[in-house]
Coordinates of all heavy atoms in Angstrom, one line a residue:
M19 N -85.7 52.1 21.1 CA -85.0 51.2 20.3 C -84.6 50.0 21.1 O -84.1 50.1 22.3 CB -83.7 51.9 19.8 CG -82.8 51.0 19.0 SD -81.2 51.7 18.6 CE -81.7 52.5 17.1
S20 N -84.8 48.8 20.6 CA -84.5 47.6 21.4 C -83.1 47.2 21.0 O -82.6 47.4 19.9 CB -85.5 46.5 21.1 OG -85.4 46.1 19.7
V21 N -82.4 46.6 22.0 CA -81.1 46.1 21.8 C -81.2 44.6 21.5 O -82.0 43.9 22.1 CB -80.3 46.4 23.1 CG1 -78.9 45.8 23.0 CG2 -80.2 47.8 23.4
F22 N -80.3 44.2 20.6 CA -80.3 42.7 20.3 C -80.0 41.9 21.5 O -79.1 42.1 22.3 CB -79.2 42.4 19.3 CG -79.0 41.0 19.0 CD1 -79.9 40.3 18.3 CD2 -77.9 40.3 19.5 CE1 -79.7 38.9 18.0 CE2 -77.7 39.0 19.3 CZ -78.6 38.3 18.6
Q23 N -80.9 40.9 21.7 CA -80.7 40.0 22.9 C -80.4 38.6 22.3 O -81.1 38.1 21.5 CB -82.0 39.9 23.7 CG -82.4 41.2 24.3 CD -81.5 41.5 25.5 OE1 -80.9 40.6 26.1 NE2 -81.2 42.8 25.7
P24 N -79.2 38.1 22.7 CA -78.9 36.7 22.2 C -79.9 35.7 22.7 O -80.6 35.9 23.7 CB -77.5 36.5 22.8 CG -77.4 37.4 23.9 CD -78.3 38.6 23.7
P25 N -80.0 34.6 22.1 CA -81.0 33.5 22.5 C -80.6 33.1 24.0 O -79.5 33.1 24.4 CB -80.7 32.4 21.6 CG -79.9 32.9 20.4 CD -79.3 34.2 20.9
Q26 N -81.7 32.8 24.7 CA -81.5 32.4 26.1 C -80.8 31.0 26.2 O -80.1 30.8 27.1 CB -82.9 32.3 26.8 CG -83.6 33.6 26.8 CD -82.8 34.7 27.6 OE1 -82.1 34.4 28.6 NE2 -82.8 35.9 27.1
T27 N -81.0 30.2 25.2 CA -80.3 28.9 25.2 C -79.3 28.9 24.1 O -79.6 29.3 23.0 CB -81.3 27.7 25.0 OG1 -82.0 27.9 23.8 CG2 -82.3 27.6 26.1
P28 N -78.0 28.6 24.5 CA -77.0 28.6 23.4 C -77.2 27.6 22.4 O -77.8 26.5 22.6 CB -75.7 28.4 24.2 CG -76.1 27.7 25.5 CD -77.5 28.2 25.7
F29 N -76.7 27.9 21.2 CA -76.9 26.9 20.1 C -76.0 25.7 20.4 O -74.8 25.9 20.7 CB -76.4 27.6 18.8 CG -76.6 26.8 17.6 CD1 -77.9 26.6 17.0 CD2 -75.6 26.1 16.9 CE1 -78.1 25.8 15.9 CE2 -75.8 25.4 15.8 CZ -77.0 25.2 15.3
P30 N -76.5 24.5 20.3 CA -75.8 23.3 20.6 C -74.7 23.0 19.5 O -75.0 22.9 18.3 CB -76.8 22.2 20.6 CG -78.0 22.7 19.9 CD -77.9 24.2 20.0
T31 N -73.5 23.0 19.9 CA -72.4 22.8 19.0 C -71.8 21.4 19.0 O -71.0 21.1 18.1 CB -71.2 23.8 19.2 OG1 -70.8 23.6 20.6 CG2 -71.7 25.3 19.1
H32 N -72.2 20.6 19.9 CA -71.7 19.3 20.0 C -71.8 18.5 18.7 O -70.8 17.8 18.3 CB -72.3 18.5 21.2 CG -71.9 17.1 21.3 ND1 -70.6 16.7 21.7 CD2 -72.5 15.9 20.9 CE1 -70.5 15.4 21.6 NE2 -71.7 14.9 21.2
P33 N -72.9 18.4 18.1 CA -73.0 17.6 16.8 C -72.0 18.1 15.8 O -71.4 17.3 15.1 CB -74.4 17.9 16.3 CG -75.2 18.3 17.5 CD -74.2 19.0 18.4
F34 N -71.7 19.4 15.7 CA -70.7 19.9 14.7 C -69.3 19.6 15.2 O -68.5 19.2 14.3 CB -70.9 21.4 14.5 CG -72.3 21.7 14.1 CD1 -73.3 22.1 15.0 CD2 -72.7 21.6 12.8 CE1 -74.6 22.4 14.6 CE2 -74.0 21.9 12.4 CZ -74.9 22.3 13.3
E35 N -69.0 19.7 16.5 CA -67.7 19.4 17.0 C -67.4 17.9 16.9 O -66.2 17.6 16.8 CB -67.6 19.9 18.4 CG -67.7 21.4 18.5 CD -67.8 21.9 20.0 OE1 -68.1 21.1 20.9 OE2 -67.7 23.1 20.2
S36 N -68.4 17.1 16.9 CA -68.2 15.7 16.9 C -68.0 15.1 15.5 O -67.6 13.9 15.3 CB -69.3 15.0 17.6 OG -69.4 15.4 18.9
L37 N -68.4 15.9 14.5 CA -68.3 15.3 13.1 C -66.9 14.9 12.7 O -66.8 13.8 12.2 CB -68.8 16.4 12.1 CG -70.3 16.6 12.0 CD1 -70.7 17.8 11.2 CD2 -71.0 15.3 11.5
L38 N -65.9 15.7 12.9 CA -64.6 15.4 12.4 C -64.0 14.2 13.2 O -63.5 13.2 12.6 CB -63.7 16.6 12.5 CG -62.3 16.4 11.9 CD1 -62.4 16.0 10.5 CD2 -61.5 17.7 12.1
P39 N -64.1 14.2 14.5 CA -63.6 13.0 15.2 C -64.3 11.7 14.8 O -63.7 10.6 14.8 CB -63.8 13.3 16.7 CG -63.9 14.8 16.8 CD -64.5 15.2 15.5
T40 N -65.6 11.8 14.6 CA -66.4 10.6 14.2 C -66.0 10.1 12.8 O -65.8 8.9 12.5 CB -67.9 10.9 14.2 OG1 -68.2 11.4 15.5 CG2 -68.7 9.7 13.9
L41 N -65.7 11.1 11.9 CA -65.2 10.7 10.5 C -63.8 10.1 10.6 O -63.6 9.1 9.9 CB -65.2 12.0 9.6 CG -64.7 11.8 8.2 CD1 -65.5 10.8 7.5 CD2 -64.7 13.1 7.5
I42 N -63.0 10.7 11.4 CA -61.6 10.1 11.6 C -61.7 8.7 12.1 O -61.0 7.8 11.7 CB -60.8 11.0 12.5 CG1 -60.5 12.3 11.8 CG2 -59.5 10.3 12.9 CD1 -59.8 13.4 12.6
N43 N -62.6 8.5 13.1 CA -62.8 7.1 13.7 C -63.2 6.2 12.6 O -62.7 5.0 12.5 CB -63.8 7.2 14.8 CG -63.9 5.8 15.4 OD1 -63.0 5.1 15.8 ND2 -65.2 5.4 15.6
L44 N -64.1 6.6 11.8 CA -64.6 5.7 10.7 C -63.5 5.4 9.7 O -63.3 4.2 9.3 CB -65.8 6.4 9.9 CG -66.2 5.8 8.6 CD1 -66.8 4.4 8.8 CD2 -67.3 6.6 7.9
L45 N -62.7 6.4 9.3 CA -61.6 6.2 8.4 C -60.5 5.2 9.0 O -60.0 4.4 8.3 CB -60.9 7.5 8.0 CG -61.8 8.4 7.1 CD1 -61.2 9.7 6.9 CD2 -62.1 7.7 5.8
K46 N -60.3 5.4 10.3 CA -59.3 4.5 11.0 C -59.8 3.0 10.9 O -59.0 2.1 10.7 CB -59.1 4.9 12.4 CG -58.2 6.1 12.6 CD -58.1 6.5 14.0 CE -57.2 7.7 14.2 NZ -57.1 8.1 15.6
I47 N -61.1 2.9 11.2 CA -61.7 1.5 11.1 C -61.6 0.9 9.7 O -61.2 -0.2 9.5 CB -63.1 1.5 11.6 CG1 -63.1 1.8 13.1 CG2 -63.8 0.1 11.4 CD1 -64.5 2.1 13.7
V48 N -62.0 1.7 8.7 CA -62.0 1.3 7.3 C -60.6 0.9 6.9 O -60.4 -0.1 6.2 CB -62.6 2.3 6.4 CG1 -62.3 2.0 4.9 CG2 -64.1 2.5 6.7
H49 N -59.6 1.7 7.2 CA -58.2 1.5 6.7 C -57.4 0.7 7.7 O -56.2 0.4 7.4 CB -57.5 2.8 6.5 CG -58.2 3.6 5.3 ND1 -58.1 3.1 4.0 CD2 -59.0 4.7 5.3 CE1 -58.7 3.9 3.2 NE2 -59.3 4.9 4.0
S50 N -57.9 0.2 8.8 CA -57.1 -0.6 9.7 C -56.9 -2.0 9.1 O -57.7 -2.5 8.3 CB -57.8 -0.7 11.1 OG -59.0 -1.5 10.9
D51 N -55.8 -2.5 9.4 CA -55.5 -3.9 9.0 C -56.4 -4.8 9.7 O -56.6 -4.7 10.9 CB -54.0 -4.3 9.2 CG -53.1 -3.5 8.4 OD1 -53.5 -3.1 7.3 OD2 -51.9 -3.2 8.8
N52 N -57.0 -5.7 9.0 CA -57.9 -6.6 9.7 C -57.1 -7.8 10.2 O -56.8 -8.7 9.4 CB -59.0 -7.1 8.7 CG -60.1 -7.9 9.3 OD1 -60.2 -8.0 10.5 ND2 -60.9 -8.5 8.5
P53 N -56.7 -7.8 11.5 CA -55.9 -8.9 12.0 C -56.7 -10.2 11.9 O -57.9 -10.2 11.9 CB -55.6 -8.5 13.4 CG -56.7 -7.5 13.8 CD -57.1 -6.8 12.5
S54 N -55.9 -11.2 11.8 CA -56.5 -12.6 11.6 C -57.3 -12.9 12.9 O -58.2 -13.8 12.8 CB -55.4 -13.6 11.4 OG -54.5 -13.6 12.4
S55 N -57.0 -12.3 14.0 CA -57.8 -12.6 15.2 C -59.2 -12.0 15.2 O -60.1 -12.4 15.9 CB -57.0 -12.1 16.5 OG -56.9 -10.7 16.4
Q56 N -59.4 -11.0 14.3 CA -60.7 -10.4 14.2 C -61.3 -10.8 12.9 O -60.9 -10.5 11.8 CB -60.6 -8.8 14.2 CG -61.9 -8.1 14.1 CD -61.7 -6.6 14.0 OE1 -60.7 -6.1 13.6 NE2 -62.8 -5.9 14.4
P57 N -62.4 -11.6 13.0 CA -63.1 -12.1 11.8 C -63.6 -10.9 10.9 O -63.8 -9.8 11.4 CB -64.3 -12.9 12.3 CG -63.9 -13.2 13.7 CD -63.0 -12.1 14.2
Q58 N -63.6 -11.2 9.6 CA -64.0 -10.1 8.7 C -65.4 -9.6 9.0 O -65.7 -8.4 8.8 CB -64.0 -10.7 7.2 CG -64.2 -9.7 6.2 CD -64.1 -10.2 4.8 OE1 -64.0 -11.4 4.6 NE2 -64.0 -9.4 3.8
Q59 N -66.3 -10.5 9.5 CA -67.7 -10.1 9.8 C -67.6 -9.0 10.9 O -68.4 -8.0 10.8 CB -68.5 -11.3 10.3 CG -69.9 -11.0 10.6 CD -70.7 -10.6 9.4 OE1 -70.3 -10.8 8.2 NE2 -71.9 -10.0 9.6
Q60 N -66.8 -9.2 11.9 CA -66.7 -8.2 13.0 C -66.2 -6.8 12.5 O -66.6 -5.8 12.9 CB -65.8 -8.7 14.1 CG -66.5 -9.7 15.0 CD -65.6 -10.2 16.1 OE1 -64.4 -10.0 16.1 NE2 -66.2 -10.8 17.1
H61 N -65.2 -6.9 11.6 CA -64.7 -5.7 11.0 C -65.8 -5.0 10.2 O -65.9 -3.7 10.3 CB -63.5 -6.1 10.0 CG -62.7 -4.9 9.5 ND1 -62.7 -4.5 8.2 CD2 -62.0 -4.0 10.2 CE1 -62.0 -3.4 8.1 NE2 -61.5 -3.1 9.2
R62 N -66.6 -5.7 9.5 CA -67.7 -5.1 8.7 C -68.7 -4.4 9.6 O -69.2 -3.4 9.4 CB -68.3 -6.1 7.8 CG -67.5 -6.4 6.6 CD -68.2 -7.4 5.7 NE -67.3 -7.8 4.6 CZ -67.6 -8.7 3.7 NH1 -68.8 -9.3 3.7 NH2 -66.8 -8.9 2.7
L63 N -69.0 -5.1 10.8 CA -69.9 -4.6 11.7 C -69.4 -3.3 12.4 O -70.1 -2.4 12.6 CB -70.2 -5.6 12.8 CG -71.1 -6.8 12.4 CD1 -71.2 -7.9 13.5 CD2 -72.5 -6.3 12.0
A64 N -68.1 -3.3 12.6 CA -67.5 -2.1 13.2 C -67.6 -0.9 12.2 O -67.9 0.2 12.6 CB -66.0 -2.3 13.6
I65 N -67.4 -1.2 10.9 CA -67.5 -0.1 9.9 C -69.0 0.3 9.8 O -69.3 1.5 9.8 CB -67.1 -0.7 8.5 CG1 -65.6 -0.9 8.5 CG2 -67.5 0.3 7.4 CD1 -65.0 -1.6 7.3
A66 N -69.9 -0.6 9.8 CA -71.4 -0.2 9.8 C -71.8 0.6 11.0 O -72.5 1.6 10.8 CB -72.2 -1.5 9.7
S67 N -71.3 0.3 12.1 CA -71.6 1.0 13.3 C -71.0 2.4 13.3 O -71.7 3.4 13.6 CB -71.0 0.3 14.6 OG -71.3 1.1 15.7
A68 N -69.8 2.6 12.8 CA -69.2 3.9 12.6 C -69.9 4.7 11.6 O -70.1 5.9 11.8 CB -67.7 3.7 12.3
V69 N -70.3 4.1 10.5 CA -71.1 4.8 9.5 C -72.4 5.3 10.1 O -72.9 6.4 9.9 CB -71.3 4.0 8.3 CG1 -72.4 4.6 7.3 CG2 -70.0 3.7 7.5
E70 N -73.1 4.5 10.9 CA -74.3 4.8 11.5 C -74.2 6.0 12.5 O -75.0 6.9 12.5 CB -74.9 3.6 12.2 CG -76.3 3.9 12.8 CD -76.9 2.6 13.4 OE1 -76.8 1.5 12.8 OE2 -77.4 2.7 14.5
D71 N -73.1 6.0 13.2 CA -72.8 7.1 14.1 C -72.6 8.4 13.4 O -73.1 9.4 13.7 CB -71.5 6.8 14.9 CG -71.7 5.7 16.0 OD1 -72.8 5.3 16.3 OD2 -70.7 5.2 16.4
L72 N -71.9 8.3 12.3 CA -71.6 9.5 11.4 C -72.9 10.0 10.8 O -73.2 11.2 10.9 CB -70.6 9.3 10.4 CG -70.2 10.4 9.5 CD1 -69.6 11.6 10.3 CD2 -69.3 10.0 8.4
Q73 N -73.7 9.1 10.3 CA -75.0 9.5 9.7 C -75.9 10.1 10.7 O -76.6 11.1 10.5 CB -75.7 8.3 9.1 CG -75.1 7.9 7.8 CD -75.8 6.6 7.2 OE1 -76.3 5.8 8.0 NE2 -75.7 6.5 5.9
S74 N -75.9 9.6 11.9 CA -76.8 10.2 13.0 C -76.3 11.6 13.3 O -77.2 12.5 13.5 CB -76.7 9.3 14.2 OG -77.4 9.8 15.3
L75 N -75.0 11.8 13.4 CA -74.6 13.2 13.7 C -74.9 14.2 12.6 O -75.3 15.3 12.8 CB -73.0 13.2 13.9 CG -72.6 12.8 15.3 CD1 -71.0 12.6 15.3 CD2 -73.0 13.8 16.3
I76 N -74.7 13.7 11.4 CA -75.1 14.6 10.2 C -76.5 14.9 10.2 O -76.9 16.1 10.0 CB -74.6 13.9 8.9 CG1 -73.1 13.9 8.8 CG2 -75.2 14.6 7.7 CD1 -72.6 13.1 7.6
T77 N -77.4 13.9 10.5 CA -78.8 14.2 10.5 C -79.2 15.2 11.6 O -79.9 16.1 11.4 CB -79.6 12.9 10.8 OG1 -79.3 12.0 9.7 CG2 -81.1 13.1 10.9
H78 N -78.6 15.0 12.8 CA -78.9 15.9 13.9 C -78.4 17.3 13.6 O -79.1 18.3 13.8 CB -78.2 15.4 15.2 CG -78.6 16.2 16.4 ND1 -77.7 16.5 17.4 CD2 -79.8 16.7 16.8 CE1 -78.3 17.2 18.3 NE2 -79.6 17.3 18.0
A79 N -77.2 17.4 13.0 CA -76.6 18.8 12.7 C -77.5 19.4 11.6 O -77.8 20.6 11.7 CB -75.2 18.6 12.2
T80 N -78.0 18.7 10.7 CA -78.8 19.2 9.6 C -80.1 19.7 10.2 O -80.6 20.8 9.8 CB -79.1 18.1 8.5 OG1 -77.9 17.7 8.0 CG2 -80.0 18.7 7.4
E81 N -80.7 19.0 11.1 CA -81.9 19.4 11.8 C -81.7 20.7 12.5 O -82.6 21.6 12.5 CB -82.4 18.3 12.8 CG -83.0 17.1 12.1 CD -83.3 15.9 13.0 OE1 -82.9 16.1 14.2 OE2 -83.8 14.9 12.5
L82 N -80.6 20.8 13.2 CA -80.3 22.1 13.9 C -80.2 23.3 13.0 O -80.7 24.3 13.2 CB -79.0 21.9 14.7 CG -79.1 21.0 16.0 CD1 -77.7 20.8 16.6 CD2 -80.0 21.6 17.0
I83 N -79.5 23.0 11.9 CA -79.3 24.1 10.9 C -80.7 24.5 10.3 O -81.0 25.7 10.1 CB -78.4 23.6 9.7 CG1 -76.9 23.5 10.3 CG2 -78.4 24.6 8.6 CD1 -76.0 22.8 9.3
N84 N -81.5 23.6 10.0 CA -82.8 23.9 9.4 C -83.8 24.6 10.4 O -84.7 25.2 9.9 CB -83.5 22.6 8.9 CG -82.8 22.0 7.7 OD1 -82.1 22.8 6.9 ND2 -82.9 20.8 7.4
T85 N -83.5 24.5 11.7 CA -84.4 25.2 12.6 C -83.8 26.6 13.0 O -84.5 27.2 13.9 CB -84.6 24.4 13.9 OG1 -83.3 24.1 14.5 CG2 -85.3 23.0 13.6
L86 N -82.7 27.0 12.5 CA -82.2 28.3 12.8 C -83.2 29.4 12.3 O -83.8 29.3 11.2 CB -80.9 28.6 12.1 CG -79.7 27.9 12.7 CD1 -78.5 28.1 11.8 CD2 -79.4 28.4 14.1
P87 N -83.5 30.4 13.1 CA -84.4 31.4 12.7 C -83.9 32.2 11.5 O -82.7 32.5 11.4 CB -84.5 32.3 14.0 CG -83.3 32.0 14.8 CD -82.9 30.7 14.4
G88 N -84.8 32.6 10.6 CA -84.4 33.4 9.5 C -84.0 32.6 8.3 O -83.8 33.1 7.2
G89 N -83.7 31.3 8.5 CA -83.3 30.5 7.4 C -84.3 30.2 6.3 O -84.0 29.7 5.3
E90 N -85.6 30.5 6.7 CA -86.7 30.2 5.8 C -86.9 31.2 4.7 O -87.6 31.0 3.7 CB -88.0 30.0 6.5 CG -88.5 31.2 7.2 CD -87.8 31.5 8.6 OE1 -87.0 30.7 9.1 OE2 -88.1 32.5 9.2
M91 N -86.2 32.4 4.8 CA -86.4 33.4 3.8 C -85.4 33.3 2.7 O -84.2 33.1 2.9 CB -86.2 34.8 4.4 CG -87.3 35.2 5.4 SD -87.1 36.8 6.1 CE -87.4 37.8 4.6
L92 N -85.9 33.4 1.5 CA -85.1 33.4 0.3 C -84.4 34.8 0.2 O -84.9 35.8 0.7 CB -85.9 33.2 -1.0 CG -86.6 31.8 -1.1 CD1 -87.5 31.8 -2.3 CD2 -85.6 30.7 -1.1
P93 N -83.2 34.8 -0.5 CA -82.5 36.1 -0.6 C -83.3 37.2 -1.2 O -83.3 38.4 -0.8 CB -81.3 35.8 -1.5 CG -81.1 34.3 -1.3 CD -82.4 33.7 -1.0
R94 N -84.2 36.9 -2.2 CA -85.0 38.0 -2.8 C -86.0 38.5 -1.7 O -86.4 39.7 -1.7 CB -85.7 37.5 -4.0 CG -86.8 36.5 -3.9 CD -87.5 36.2 -5.2 NE -88.5 35.2 -4.9 CZ -88.4 33.9 -5.2 NH1 -87.3 33.4 -5.8 NH2 -89.3 33.0 -5.0
D95 N -86.5 37.6 -0.9 CA -87.4 38.0 0.2 C -86.7 38.9 1.2 O -87.2 39.9 1.7 CB -88.1 36.8 0.9 CG -88.9 36.0 -0.1 OD1 -89.5 36.6 -1.0 OD2 -89.0 34.8 0.2
Q96 N -85.5 38.5 1.5 CA -84.7 39.3 2.4 C -84.4 40.7 1.9 O -84.5 41.7 2.6 CB -83.3 38.6 2.7 CG -83.5 37.3 3.5 CD -82.2 36.5 3.6 OE1 -81.1 37.0 3.3 NE2 -82.3 35.3 4.0
D97 N -84.1 40.8 0.6 CA -83.9 42.1 -0.1 C -85.2 42.9 0.0 O -85.1 44.1 0.2 CB -83.5 41.9 -1.6 CG -82.1 41.3 -1.7 OD1 -81.3 41.3 -0.8 OD2 -81.9 40.7 -2.8
A98 N -86.3 42.3 -0.1 CA -87.6 43.1 -0.1 C -87.8 43.6 1.3 O -88.2 44.8 1.5 CB -88.8 42.2 -0.5
V99 N -87.5 42.8 2.4 CA -87.6 43.3 3.7 C -86.6 44.4 4.0 O -87.0 45.5 4.6 CB -87.4 42.1 4.7 CG1 -87.3 42.6 6.2 CG2 -88.5 41.1 4.6
I100 N -85.4 44.3 3.6 CA -84.4 45.3 3.7 C -84.8 46.6 3.1 O -84.7 47.7 3.7 CB -83.0 44.9 3.2 CG1 -82.5 43.7 4.1 CG2 -82.0 46.0 3.2 CD1 -81.3 43.0 3.6
A101 N -85.3 46.5 1.9 CA -85.8 47.7 1.1 C -86.9 48.4 1.9 O -87.0 49.6 2.0 CB -86.2 47.4 -0.3
A102 N -87.9 47.6 2.4 CA -89.0 48.2 3.2 C -88.5 48.8 4.4 O -89.0 49.9 4.8 CB -90.0 47.1 3.5
L103 N -87.6 48.2 5.1 CA -87.0 48.8 6.3 C -86.3 50.1 6.0 O -86.3 51.1 6.8 CB -86.1 47.8 7.1 CG -86.8 46.7 7.7 CD1 -85.8 45.6 8.2 CD2 -87.7 47.1 8.8
E104 N -85.5 50.1 4.9 CA -84.8 51.3 4.6 C -85.7 52.5 4.2 O -85.5 53.6 4.6 CB -83.8 51.1 3.4 CG -82.6 50.2 3.8 CD -81.8 49.8 2.6 OE1 -82.2 49.9 1.5 OE2 -80.6 49.4 2.9
K105 N -86.8 52.1 3.5 CA -87.9 53.1 3.2 C -88.5 53.7 4.5 O -88.7 54.9 4.6 CB -88.9 52.5 2.3 CG -90.0 53.5 1.9 CD -91.0 52.8 1.0 CE -92.2 53.8 0.7 NZ -93.3 53.2 0.1
L106 N -88.8 52.8 5.4 CA -89.4 53.2 6.7 C -88.5 54.1 7.5 O -88.9 55.2 8.0 CB -89.8 52.0 7.5 CG -90.5 52.2 8.8 CD1 -91.8 53.0 8.6 CD2 -90.7 50.9 9.6
K107 N -87.2 53.8 7.4 CA -86.2 54.6 8.1 C -86.1 56.0 7.5 O -86.0 57.0 8.3 CB -84.8 53.9 8.1 CG -83.7 54.6 8.8 CD -82.4 53.9 8.6 CE -81.2 54.7 9.2 NZ -80.0 54.0 9.0
S108 N -86.0 56.0 6.2 CA -85.9 57.3 5.6 C -87.1 58.2 5.8 O -87.1 59.4 5.9 CB -85.6 57.2 4.1 OG -86.7 56.6 3.4
E109 N -88.3 57.6 5.9 CA -89.6 58.3 6.2 C -89.5 58.9 7.6 O -89.9 60.0 7.8 CB -90.8 57.4 6.0 CG -91.1 57.1 4.5 CD -92.2 56.1 4.4 OE1 -92.8 55.6 5.4 OE2 -92.5 55.7 3.2
K110 N -89.0 58.1 8.5 CA -88.9 58.6 9.9 C -87.9 59.7 10.1 O -88.1 60.6 10.9 CB -88.6 57.4 10.8 CG -89.7 56.5 11.1 CD -89.4 55.4 12.1 CE -90.5 54.6 12.5 NZ -90.3 53.6 13.5
L111 N -86.9 59.6 9.3 CA -85.8 60.6 9.4 C -86.2 61.8 8.5 O -85.5 62.9 8.6 CB -84.5 60.1 8.9 CG -83.9 59.0 9.9 CD1 -82.6 58.4 9.3 CD2 -83.6 59.5 11.2
G112 N -87.2 61.7 7.7 CA -87.6 62.8 6.8 C -86.7 63.0 5.6 O -86.6 64.1 5.0
T113 N -85.9 62.0 5.2 CA -85.1 62.1 4.0 C -85.7 61.3 2.9 O -86.3 60.2 3.1 CB -83.7 61.6 4.4 OG1 -83.7 60.2 4.8 CG2 -83.0 62.4 5.4
P114 N -85.4 61.7 1.7 CA -86.0 61.0 0.5 C -85.3 59.7 0.3 O -84.2 59.4 0.7 CB -85.8 61.9 -0.7 CG -84.8 62.9 -0.2 CD -84.8 62.9 1.3

């Protein structure tokens, strides 16, 4: 019987941990008073840059999620595998 071995490389959590601070930064920029010393164009560029940062993190996090092993199986396929494993187990144990 084999024992579960965790992946050799840990799952990168940085993109997920950075989502909330990046969103908060975006909201601060959006809701900040636009002082007269800062032209409206610069304020818009700061917002665009913050949105781009957030979109980049979301894209990276989504890619990480999509590459998780086992995520490609639909629930009905998972049920079929479980049923087959349970059948194999009962055959090995000699129980119906």
